[in-house]
Amino acid sequence: MKIITAETAAAASKEAFNIIADRMQHHQLHVLGLATGSTPCGLYRLLCASRLDFRQVTSVNLDEYVGLQPTDPQSYHYFMQVHLFRAKPFKESFFPDGTNLDAAAVAKEYDQVLAAHPVDLQVLGIGQNGHIGFNEPGTPFTSRTHRVVLTPSTIAANARFFARPDEVPRAAYTMGIASIMAAKQVLLMAFGAQKAPAIRQAVKGPVTPAVPASVLQRHPNVTLILDRAAASQL
Ligand code: GLP
């Protein structure tokens, strides 16, 4: 694992931006894997303000809540519109279909999307319990797209984006761990002291499904982009 530690989240976002810009300038980015959450927002602001043109690039998102329409302001679809796609349209953008309650059909369809669009670079965040995408602790490393019931800690962490905690959806569709590991390159970003224990376990702990992000130790091309606080336990 390559680890870049910047002084602040803003400086770390610039490091992530520079890596993506370099891949774009070398015409090496055809499929970009995207993440939601607060962590990539600084990166997305830099992409929006840049001269990079994504109209020949396909995007695939990690996950989506079950039961929300793409027009729902809490859906990850809507999040991406607001934070990136309005300013930077892509050739095409894919999400697991949160409106379809047939989990097997959604999984099959999204696995086909991923097989047809192999990810060149995947942007990743990390949950405080080490989850990646919505792959909670205990998820098998062999998993592909699947439906998850969110853990109480993830619901609590994501409640800040909703008016009331009981509005947070209880389930989501997510790329699996094997789907994430199939990306040619992974950029995992983590900011703040609350992420420091998960980063320590992911980097220095055993590779175990108990800490989903620890699987990245087995990936040949991972860069962790941290601020000082998130790196404080390394
Ligand atoms: C959610 C998302 C993850 C994200 C995580 C951390 O659970 N599904 O993809 O990494 O939140 O979010 P944040 O960046 O806001 O800390």
Side-chain angles (χ1 to χ4, degrees):
M1 282 182 172
K2 187 175 169 199
I3 301 179
I4 297 174
T5 304
E7 210 48 54
T8 63
S13 298
K14 187 75 170 69
E15 297 280 353
F17 170 82
N18 288 343
I19 291 170
I20 291 176
D22 182 73
R23 300 288 313 268
M24 287 289 287
Q25 276 145 16
H26 289 89
H27 305 288
Q28 292 167 335
L29 197 52
H30 310 290
V31 181
L32 178 58
L34 296 170
T36 54
S38 53
T39 307
C41 285
L43 166 64
Y44 296 156
R45 274 194 296 275
L46 291 169
L47 292 175
C48 289
S50 75
R51 300 180 65 167
L52 295 173
D53 182 349
F54 291 92
R55 284 174 299 177
Q56 300 303 321
V57 178
T58 296
S59 71
V60 292
N61 260 77
L62 283 169
D63 45 19
E64 179 59 284
Y65 287 121
V66 175
L68 299 189
Q69 297 292 323
T71 49
D72 188 311
Q74 302 296 359
S75 74
Y76 283 168
H77 208 112
Y78 191 91
F79 175 99
M80 292 309 308
Q81 288 294 338
V82 170
H83 291 277
L84 187 60
F85 298 156
R86 272 184 198 161
K88 292 290 176 190
F90 280 64
K91 181 171 147 195
E92 47 191 351
S93 293
F94 294 101
F95 295 76
D97 182 1
T99 66
N100 186 349
L101 301 183
D102 180 344
V106 174
K108 187 173 170 203
E109 182 188 65
Y110 209 56
D111 285 345
Q112 285 170 351
V113 166
L114 296 174
H117 304 279
V119 173
D120 294 305
L121 185 152
Q122 176 68 53
V123 174
L124 263 192
I126 184 170
Q128 290 178 35
N129 62 4
H131 75 244
I132 49 176
F134 266 130
N135 294 284
E136 299 281 16
T139 307
F141 287 167
T142 51
S143 54
R144 300 274 169 183
T145 306
H146 61 286
R147 181 181 186 276
V148 289
V149 176
L150 304 180
T151 62
S153 77
T154 297
I155 291 171
N158 288 353
R160 66 189 190 279
F161 297 115
F162 292 79
R164 298 199 324 265
D166 62 356
E167 287 178 6
V168 186
R170 289 329 195 224
Y173 296 124
T174 183
M175 283 191 201
I177 292 186
S179 329
I180 293 170
M181 288 294 279
K184 295 188 190 96
Q185 180 176 10
V186 174
L187 288 192
L188 185 147
M189 296 192 287
F191 307 146
Q194 74 282 8
K195 298 289 174 72
I199 290 297
R200 175 177 38 80
Q201 286 183 293
V203 174
K204 300 225 154 150
V207 177
T208 166
V211 182
S214 67
V215 74
L216 296 170
Q217 292 178 30
R218 293 186 182 158
H219 192 286
N221 189 354
V222 177
T223 304
L224 263 58
I225 304 182
L226 310 174
D227 68 358
R228 204 40 83 200
S232 60
Q233 293 186 20
L234 290 180

